[in-house]
Amino acid sequence: MADHSEVAYTTADGNDYIEHERTYEGFIALVKYGTAAVALILILMAFFLL
């Protein structure tokens, strides 16, 4: 059997945690503002279409 005592990504060369955090923060911002935009569209649709 293979030795699985060490996780591969922790020893991989070239891990860029700063870029990883920037990407995650960008994703969170996209979800936050995207959700707000969809909610605004639904509110405007309810106001103008009823």
Side-chain angles (χ1 to χ4, degrees):
M1 291 269 175
D3 182 21
H4 295 290
S5 63
E6 193 170 350
V7 181
Y9 67 83
T10 60
T11 59
D13 292 334
N15 282 339
D16 191 359
Y17 290 111
I18 295 171
E19 185 64 28
H20 166 75
E21 290 175 357
R22 271 189 53 221
T23 302
Y24 181 72
E25 289 171 2
F27 170 76
I28 294 299
L30 177 67
V31 169
K32 181 172 44 176
Y33 295 123
T35 301
V38 169
L40 178 64
I41 290 169
L42 289 175
I43 291 167
L44 291 174
M45 287 174 63
F47 182 74
F48 288 111
L49 295 178
L50 289 179

